[in-house]
Amino acid sequence: GLGGVAFLLNIVGWPLQIRESPFSLWLLFPALLFGGLAQFLTTMATRQRAFGTIATSKIVQGATYAGTGLGIGAASPFPAGLIAADVLGRTVQAAYLAAWARRTLAHLWRPVGWAPIKVVARRYREYPYISVPGTAINVLGGVLTPVMIYASFSAAASGQYALLDRSVGLPLSLIVVAVGQVFTAQFAAELRNSAAAAAAHFRHVIGYMSILAAGVVIILLAAGPWLFSFIFGEEWRLAGQLAQIMAPAFASTLLSGPVHMVLTVMGHQKLQTAWEVSRLTLVAALWLAAPLMMIPLKAAVGVYSVILVLCNLGFVALAFLMLRRSLRKEAVVPSVDPV
């Protein structure tokens, strides 16, 4: 499906960024494929409580991306170098998790007959047309922004944003993944027994992450440009200015990221997918409109930050409302006549 869309867009030459892009749109699809595979294997690792493996896979991805990007830049820079480095990082992460699954979950690799496959497919029939597209959309949302900044502005602008993403976004994502995997496993276990316990755990995680988010906002707003200039050099001051703009978005990600699986665990896959589609639609609309309306880089990143804040806080509110609904259902206990 995604391949067909790409083929049509290349023929039509719309939007403008595709026709003028210095790299092929097809580079997005290995990123989607291996990013989706890594996300699936991460879910399997969560069920096994292999949190160290998950954290290591993120480190491997980030190190591969940074090392490949630096190597390409030093040896023979080319327009799609950053995109290729990102694709390779996702590929290596997926390969690392697949090797772990091969060693740890050997039963997954055994041949399975058609009869059990049909039973499982019938029982979980919503996943192929709801959760799988939602996962693909989530991965696409992650790779869309740096690609569109590259296409809409310049390689230099994309490089500034990439440095911000890897120096601030990657460490924060490691925290989000670590907290989120532990939370999801415990939340799923608690939900089976008591919605009240699951809701209390949800509130505690949001409370703790709010403290960390406040610290991130204060540091980036107060010293973002100075920190980037001091650590990386004066030529990277723009990345620090973008860090100031993105500070609220990073903070909101710290709130929503660890509880990202709440709706899925509660069985609200359609609601989860609707949220994913809404976020991607807003982000795509922004980056399509930015060159047409000649929006400057900082202003475009500012709008992007606002979109992420609204979407992330909206997700937290949505998860809270679904938990309250579960609490009300749990509170409705049928009366029993005394014997």
Side-chain angles (χ1 to χ4, degrees), residues 234-316:
E234 185 62 30
E235 64 271 21
W236 296 102
R237 174 172 289 272
L238 175 58
Q241 295 170 349
L242 297 180
Q244 286 181 314
I245 297 171
M246 288 292 294
F250 287 134
S252 67
T253 300
L254 284 171
L255 293 180
S256 67
V259 300
H260 182 70
M261 292 297 292
V262 164
L263 294 179
T264 300
V265 171
M266 295 180 70
H268 300 298
Q269 287 85 11
K270 293 180 180 179
L271 201 56
Q272 176 81 29
T273 302
W275 178 81
E276 300 279 8
V277 171
S278 299
R279 183 183 62 173
L280 179 62
T281 300
L282 291 172
V283 172
L286 164 65
W287 296 121
L288 290 175
L292 298 176
M293 301 177 64
M294 294 184 291
I295 301 175
L297 174 64
K298 291 182 182 179
V301 173
V303 176
Y304 176 60
S305 180
V306 170
I307 289 173
L308 291 185
V309 170
L310 293 177
C311 290
N312 290 337
L313 295 185
F315 180 87
V316 173

Side-chain angles (χ1 to χ4, degrees), residues 57-71:
S57 74
K58 296 295 290 185
I59 294 173
V60 168
Q61 178 194 5
T64 302
Y65 173 86
T68 303
L70 290 173

Side-chain angles (χ1 to χ4, degrees), residues 41-338:
L41 292 171
T42 297
T43 302
M44 300 303 298
T46 301
R47 297 186 63 181
Q48 300 297 316
R49 296 180 178 270
F51 305 125
T53 298
I54 296 169
T56 302
S57 74
K58 296 295 290 185
I59 294 173
V60 168
Q61 178 194 5
T64 302
Y65 173 86
T68 303
L70 290 173
I72 291 174
S76 179
F78 61 95
L82 289 175
I83 309 301
D86 183 72
V87 171
L88 183 60
R90 295 174 188 274
T91 304
V92 171
Q93 181 193 22
Y96 177 86
L97 289 170
W100 167 84
R102 186 78 177 179
R103 295 191 308 269
T104 308
L105 305 171
H107 62 281
L108 293 179
W109 308 92
R110 297 170 187 163
V112 180
W114 281 108
I117 291 177
K118 290 179 181 179
V119 171
V120 173
R122 190 178 301 112
R123 181 177 179 182
Y124 299 102
R125 57 186 177 274
E126 286 193 350
Y127 281 83
Y129 62 85
I130 296 178
S131 294
V132 172
T135 299
I137 289 170
N138 185 42
V139 175
L140 179 59
V143 302
L144 181 64
T145 292
V147 168
M148 295 304 283
I149 288 179
Y150 195 157
S152 301
F153 296 96
S154 65
S158 180
Q160 295 280 346
Y161 183 85
L163 178 65
L164 166 63
D165 186 44
R166 295 307 167 184
S167 60
V168 179
L170 179 60
L172 293 183
S173 71
L174 292 177
I175 296 173
V176 167
V177 168
V179 176
Q181 303 304 331
V182 177
F183 166 80
T184 300
Q186 186 172 344
F187 178 84
E190 290 174 339
L191 190 64
R192 288 192 292 269
N193 300 318
S194 169
H201 190 197
F202 174 84
R203 290 193 297 270
H204 289 158
V205 169
I206 292 296
Y208 293 141
M209 296 307 292
S210 297
I211 298 173
L212 178 59
V216 170
V217 169
I218 292 172
I219 292 173
L220 291 181
L221 287 180
W226 178 84
L227 284 173
F228 275 78
S229 298
F230 178 76
I231 297 173
F232 302 107
E234 185 62 30
E235 64 271 21
W236 296 102
R237 174 172 289 272
L238 175 58
Q241 295 170 349
L242 297 180
Q244 286 181 314
I245 297 171
M246 288 292 294
F250 287 134
S252 67
T253 300
L254 284 171
L255 293 180
S256 67
V259 300
H260 182 70
M261 292 297 292
V262 164
L263 294 179
T264 300
V265 171
M266 295 180 70
H268 300 298
Q269 287 85 11
K270 293 180 180 179
L271 201 56
Q272 176 81 29
T273 302
W275 178 81
E276 300 279 8
V277 171
S278 299
R279 183 183 62 173
L280 179 62
T281 300
L282 291 172
V283 172
L286 164 65
W287 296 121
L288 290 175
L292 298 176
M293 301 177 64
M294 294 184 291
I295 301 175
L297 174 64
K298 291 182 182 179
V301 173
V303 176
Y304 176 60
S305 180
V306 170
I307 289 173
L308 291 185
V309 170
L310 293 177
C311 290
N312 290 337
L313 295 185
F315 180 87
V316 173
L318 194 59
F320 181 74
L321 288 175
M322 293 301 103
L323 280 169
R324 287 192 62 181
R325 180 181 296 180
S326 294
L327 286 173
R328 288 196 295 268
K329 290 181 179 179
E330 189 176 73
V332 178
V333 179
S335 59
V336 179
D337 295 329

